[in-house]
Amino acid sequence: MVAPLDAAAVLSLLGALPVALYVMHEGTLLWCNDKFAEMCECPKEQALGRSFVGFVAPEDRAFVVDRYRRRAAGEAVPDHYEFSVFGQESGKRTPIHMSVTLVQAGATRYSIGVVVDLTEQRSVAAGLASGGAIERSSPTPVLRVAAGVLVVPLVGHYHAARVQDLTQTVLAAISNQRAHALILDVTGLVDADERVADYFARTAAAARLLGARCLLAGVSPALAQLLAAAPGALHMISAATLEDALQVVRRPG
């Protein structure tokens, strides 16, 4: 009969896993495995006891802290999202997907996180984009479906850096194509957050300044709630499906 594992043995096994793991309490990193320390470019003995937010890219810190505080307060926020980890030595941004679970042990509540490096996934996506039939400068395509009409299919997760890149791509396409309509198809969007809702509002405002109106297609109930709280988003036009949105932009006037 195999003897049961003690706590030290369990931590040793977890430390050898190829996925990054950490345990946090009230914003302080209490334990992490080698993969997490390597991703953050910080030896474990130096990482433990530090504020977790120090390992988050500066542009994502406000978002991550807000999510943590709301989760700790009992709000129903998504338990997995994307942002960038900040390399302590090089300052390198590593895009990651993080899943968080709150665990109560006696009177103490811990945050246990699983962090997945998205670098390889992004490289594959970029390679597919550059080799595909549609030429584009980023994994998110901007499609010209009719004269003056652009469609942007948003699929998967969008964190701060990805949203910023997309904003530049979309606005450049409107200007270059002299588009009068921009449709953001959000049917495939996963776990949209406040930053994504704010992006939609800002993109719509910028598109209007360039002479194009912006429509959203395929808005989910969860995204609708976020948009309702985003300044300026209520002035956007929405349609149930991409087909409906195309019919709207083709109507005279």
Side-chain angles (χ1 to χ4, degrees), residues 6-167:
D6 59 17
V10 171
L11 289 178
S12 178
L13 291 173
L14 292 176
L17 289 177
V19 66
L21 303 171
Y22 71 86
V23 177
M24 179 177 66
H25 172 61
E26 294 185 348
T28 299
L29 190 67
L30 300 182
W31 176 87
C32 68
N33 65 355
D34 292 337
K35 188 67 175 179
F36 182 88
E38 177 186 342
M39 186 180 297
C40 297
E41 300 177 1
C42 183
K44 283 198 296 186
E45 59 272 16
Q46 296 180 21
L48 302 186
R50 291 179 54 179
S51 172
F52 180 84
V53 74
F55 300 108
V56 178
E59 61 270 19
D60 289 332
R61 288 174 183 170
F63 166 69
V64 173
V65 169
D66 178 67
R67 275 288 180 87
Y68 173 77
R69 289 175 176 169
R70 291 169 58 191
R71 183 181 297 105
E75 289 190 39
V77 297
D79 58 4
H80 52 96
Y81 44 100
E82 293 185 5
F83 58 92
S84 294
V85 167
F86 184 70
Q88 301 300 292
E89 294 185 2
S90 67
K92 173 187 175 184
R93 270 72 166 171
T94 301
I96 60 100
H97 179 272
M98 184 175 76
S99 299
V100 183
T101 302
L102 293 180
V103 177
Q104 194 79 25
T108 305
R109 184 163 55 177
Y110 300 92
S111 295
I112 300 177
V114 179
V115 180
V116 178
D117 187 342
L118 297 178
T119 303
E120 182 176 353
Q121 175 184 324
R122 298 283 168 80
S123 297
V124 171
L128 291 173
S130 63
I134 302 171
E135 293 185 3
R136 51 193 184 258
S137 60
S138 71
T140 302
V142 179
L143 310 176
R144 180 180 181 275
V145 296
V149 179
L150 302 177
V151 173
V152 181
L154 302 172
V155 180
H157 301 266
Y158 276 78
H159 59 90
R162 192 179 184 193
V163 166
Q164 291 170 4
D165 290 342
L166 180 59
T167 300

